[in-house]
DNA sequence: TTGACATGAAACCAAAAGGTTTTATATAAT
DNA sequence: ATTATATAAAACCTTTTGGTTTCATGTCAA
């Protein structure tokens, strides 16, 4: 009896450039489907499908108002992305973080680490 | 004449769960294709294709050593993802950032903003 | 109440994605 | 020299994706 099993996760949802643009739009303000569509060269139906996918990923929330369906941004699921990313941050970002890991390994191995001020500055440059 | 025009960008590259797992593996240490494959239930050829996609997105780098091709993580392109994400951080995360924007708007409009210490603390709670 | 508007839903389509199997080629080991 | 290993490349297959067109339905306005 597994859970509903969302068909679209955040990673898939943001993989498409059109959907990313839609998110940007909705970040400005909530909009009905027709208005969203007016920003794109594709059909209203296509946009509707993108919205359904974003909706399944819970990146947007739609509510019906009269004959319109108004969507707004719901950014919370992006935290999952952020967490995923955070794992890799240790590997790139500034050279300092690389140094940090070298140091941690050296500390684990019981070595004493001494670096000069000059070395620090060389390492932290972009 | 336009640039090479990468077929796969970071967003697409990380959309697939298998590719995300491959990245995780390579974060531990560099590995030849056959070893990577041994961690998955799919064929070596399939893994090879995933690696090609990751390679196009420049998330991994492969070098030939003897008859093996050894891949290692190259996380730099993830900065693009981070930048993309950073735009949305203002919208979710802590309530404080929401407050921050309210304040900015109020400041724009020339209003003076005064909040109590208690209000600050209430707003910053997870 | 009769259109016009906004969306929903279904049927359809071509291309891309994610696999497989088969065949070829270079390198290593015996 | 021969065989085993590691990968590359090509052909093929099925499902998913991103789009379209067409038709149905609910709501607003005249």
């Amino acid at each position: 009896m597994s859970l509903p099993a969302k068909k679209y996760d955040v990673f898939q949802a943001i993989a498409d450039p059109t959907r990313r643009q839609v998110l940007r739009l909705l970040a400005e303000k909530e909009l009905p489907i027709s208005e969203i569509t007016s920003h794109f060269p594709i059909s209203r139906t296509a946009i509707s499908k993108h919205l359904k996918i974003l909706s399944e990923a819970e990146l947007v929330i739609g509510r019906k108002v009269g004959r319109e369906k108004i969507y707004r941004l719901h950014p919370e699921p992006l935290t999952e992305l952020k967490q995923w990313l955070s794992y890799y941050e240790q590997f790139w970002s500034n050279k300092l973080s690389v140094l940090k890991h070298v140091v941690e390994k050296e500390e684990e191995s019981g070595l004493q680490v001494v670096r000069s001020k000059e070395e620090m500055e060389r390492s932290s440059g972009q």
Side-chain angles (χ1 to χ4, degrees), chain A residues 44-58:
Chain A
R44 188 223 72 205
T45 315
I47 294 291
S48 250
K49 286 187 187 176
H50 283 306
L51 285 166
K52 179 144 59 176
I53 289 169
L54 289 170
S55 210
E56 266 187 59
E58 294 182 277

Side-chain angles (χ1 to χ4, degrees), chain A residues 89-106:
Chain A
E89 263 162 10
Q90 51 174 150
F91 296 109
W92 92 80
S93 65
N94 45 48
K95 308 284 172 167
L96 252 182
S97 85
V98 172
L99 248 187
K100 181 167 166 281
H101 280 81
V102 171
V103 171
E104 278 164 359
K105 274 186 190 155
E106 282 167 345

